[in-house]
Coordinates of all heavy atoms in Angstrom, one line a residue:
Y1 N -4.0 1.0 -4.1 CA -3.8 -0.4 -4.4 C -4.6 -0.8 -5.6 O -5.7 -0.2 -6.0 CB -4.1 -1.3 -3.2 CG -5.4 -1.0 -2.5 CD1 -6.6 -1.5 -3.0 CD2 -5.3 -0.4 -1.3 CE1 -7.8 -1.2 -2.3 CE2 -6.5 -0.1 -0.5 CZ -7.7 -0.6 -1.1 OH -8.9 -0.4 -0.4
A2 N -4.2 -1.9 -6.3 CA -4.9 -2.4 -7.4 C -4.8 -4.0 -7.4 O -3.8 -4.5 -6.9 CB -4.4 -1.9 -8.7
G3 N -5.8 -4.7 -7.8 CA -5.8 -6.1 -7.8 C -6.5 -6.7 -9.1 O -7.2 -5.9 -9.8
G4 N -6.4 -8.0 -9.3 CA -7.1 -8.6 -10.4 C -8.5 -9.0 -10.0 O -9.4 -8.7 -10.7
T5 N -8.6 -9.7 -8.8 CA -9.9 -10.1 -8.3 C -10.0 -9.9 -6.8 O -9.0 -9.9 -6.2 CB -10.3 -11.6 -8.7 OG1 -9.3 -12.4 -8.0 CG2 -10.2 -11.8 -10.2
A6 N -11.2 -9.8 -6.3 CA -11.4 -9.8 -4.9 C -12.8 -10.2 -4.6 O -13.7 -10.1 -5.4 CB -11.2 -8.4 -4.3
V7 N -13.0 -10.9 -3.4 CA -14.3 -11.4 -3.0 C -14.6 -10.9 -1.6 O -13.7 -11.0 -0.7 CB -14.4 -12.9 -3.0 CG1 -15.7 -13.4 -2.6 CG2 -14.1 -13.4 -4.4
Q8 N -15.8 -10.4 -1.3 CA -16.2 -10.0 0.0 C -17.6 -10.5 0.3 O -18.5 -10.4 -0.6 CB -16.2 -8.5 0.2 CG -14.8 -7.9 0.0 CD -14.9 -6.4 0.1 OE1 -15.9 -5.8 0.4 NE2 -13.8 -5.7 -0.1
A9 N -17.9 -11.1 1.5 CA -19.2 -11.5 1.9 C -19.4 -11.1 3.3 O -18.9 -11.7 4.2 CB -19.3 -13.0 1.7
L10 N -20.2 -10.1 3.5 CA -20.4 -9.5 4.9 C -21.1 -10.5 5.7 O -22.0 -11.2 5.3 CB -21.2 -8.2 4.8 CG -20.5 -7.1 4.0 CD1 -21.4 -5.8 4.0 CD2 -19.2 -6.7 4.7
G11 N -20.6 -10.6 7.0 CA -21.3 -11.5 7.9 C -20.9 -12.9 7.9 O -21.4 -13.8 8.5
T12 N -19.9 -13.2 7.0 CA -19.4 -14.6 6.9 C -17.9 -14.6 6.8 O -17.3 -13.6 6.9 CB -19.9 -15.3 5.5 OG1 -19.1 -14.7 4.4 CG2 -21.4 -15.0 5.3
T13 N -17.3 -15.8 6.7 CA -15.9 -15.9 6.7 C -15.4 -16.0 5.2 O -14.2 -16.2 5.0 CB -15.4 -17.2 7.4 OG1 -16.0 -18.3 6.8 CG2 -15.7 -17.1 8.9
V14 N -16.3 -15.8 4.3 CA -15.9 -15.9 2.9 C -15.1 -14.6 2.5 O -15.6 -13.5 2.7 CB -17.1 -16.0 1.9 CG1 -16.7 -15.9 0.5 CG2 -17.9 -17.3 2.2
R15 N -13.9 -14.8 2.1 CA -13.0 -13.6 1.9 C -11.8 -14.0 1.0 O -11.2 -15.1 1.3 CB -12.6 -13.0 3.2 CG -11.5 -11.9 3.0 CD -11.1 -11.3 4.3 NE -10.0 -10.4 4.1 CZ -9.3 -9.9 5.1 NH1 -9.6 -10.1 6.4 NH2 -8.3 -9.0 4.9
S16 N -11.5 -13.3 0.0 CA -10.3 -13.4 -0.7 C -9.8 -12.1 -1.1 O -10.4 -11.4 -1.9 CB -10.5 -14.3 -2.0 OG -9.3 -14.4 -2.7
D17 N -8.7 -11.7 -0.4 CA -8.1 -10.3 -0.7 C -7.6 -10.3 -2.1 O -7.6 -11.2 -2.9 CB -7.0 -10.0 0.3 CG -7.6 -9.8 1.7 OD1 -8.8 -9.5 1.8 OD2 -6.8 -9.9 2.7
F18 N -7.2 -9.1 -2.5 CA -6.8 -8.8 -3.9 C -5.8 -9.8 -4.4 O -4.7 -10.1 -3.7 CB -6.1 -7.4 -4.0 CG -7.1 -6.3 -3.9 CD1 -8.4 -6.5 -3.5 CD2 -6.7 -5.0 -4.2 CE1 -9.3 -5.5 -3.4 CE2 -7.6 -4.0 -4.2 CZ -8.9 -4.2 -3.7
T19 N -6.0 -10.4 -5.6 CA -5.0 -11.3 -6.2 C -4.1 -10.4 -7.0 O -4.5 -9.4 -7.6 CB -5.7 -12.3 -7.2 OG1 -6.6 -11.6 -8.1 CG2 -6.6 -13.3 -6.4
S20 N -2.8 -10.8 -7.0 CA -1.8 -10.0 -7.8 C -1.8 -8.5 -7.4 O -1.7 -7.6 -8.2 CB -2.0 -10.1 -9.3 OG -0.9 -9.6 -10.0
E21 N -1.9 -8.3 -6.1 CA -2.0 -6.9 -5.6 C -0.7 -6.1 -5.7 O 0.4 -6.6 -5.5 CB -2.4 -6.9 -4.1 CG -2.5 -5.5 -3.5 CD -2.9 -5.5 -2.0 OE1 -3.1 -6.5 -1.5 OE2 -2.9 -4.4 -1.5
S22 N -0.9 -4.9 -6.1 CA 0.2 -3.8 -6.1 C -0.3 -2.7 -5.2 O -1.5 -2.4 -5.2 CB 0.5 -3.3 -7.4 OG 1.1 -4.2 -8.3
S23 N 0.6 -2.1 -4.3 CA 0.1 -1.1 -3.4 C 1.2 -0.1 -3.1 O 2.4 -0.5 -3.2 CB -0.4 -1.7 -2.1 OG 0.6 -2.4 -1.4
V24 N 0.9 1.1 -2.7 CA 1.8 2.0 -2.1 C 1.1 2.7 -0.9 O -0.1 2.8 -0.9 CB 2.2 3.1 -3.1 CG1 3.0 2.5 -4.2 CG2 1.1 3.9 -3.6
D25 N 1.9 3.1 0.1 CA 1.4 3.8 1.2 C 2.6 4.8 1.6 O 3.5 4.3 2.3 CB 1.0 2.9 2.3 CG 0.3 3.5 3.5 OD1 0.5 4.7 3.7 OD2 -0.5 2.9 4.2
T26 N 2.5 6.0 1.2 CA 3.7 6.8 1.3 C 3.4 8.3 1.2 O 2.3 8.7 0.8 CB 4.7 6.5 0.1 OG1 5.9 7.2 0.2 CG2 4.1 6.8 -1.3
N27 N 4.3 9.2 1.6 CA 4.2 10.6 1.4 C 5.3 11.1 0.4 O 5.7 12.2 0.5 CB 4.3 11.4 2.7 CG 5.7 11.2 3.4 OD1 6.4 10.3 3.0 ND2 6.0 12.0 4.4
Q28 N 5.8 10.2 -0.4 CA 6.8 10.5 -1.4 C 6.4 10.2 -2.8 O 5.6 9.2 -3.1 CB 8.1 9.7 -1.1 CG 8.7 10.0 0.3 CD 9.8 9.1 0.7 OE1 9.5 7.9 0.9 NE2 11.0 9.6 0.8
T29 N 6.9 10.9 -3.8 CA 6.7 10.6 -5.2 C 7.8 9.8 -5.7 O 8.8 9.6 -5.0 CB 6.6 11.9 -6.0 OG1 7.8 12.7 -5.8 CG2 5.4 12.7 -5.6
G30 N 7.7 9.2 -6.8 CA 8.7 8.3 -7.4 C 8.7 6.9 -6.8 O 9.6 6.1 -7.0

């Protein structure tokens, strides 16, 4: 996966997952 920005703050509720995310999860090429 790849994103533009992300924010993590352990032990708090501050969180913003990847903006403009692209991802793959596969056992195939192409």
Side-chain angles (χ1 to χ4, degrees):
Y1 48 77
T5 62
V7 179
Q8 297 178 6
L10 297 178
T12 76
T13 58
V14 176
R15 173 183 172 185
S16 179
D17 288 341
F18 287 11
T19 55
S20 189
E21 179 180 356
S22 295
S23 64
V24 296
D25 190 332
T26 183
N27 64 345
Q28 296 170 296
T29 56

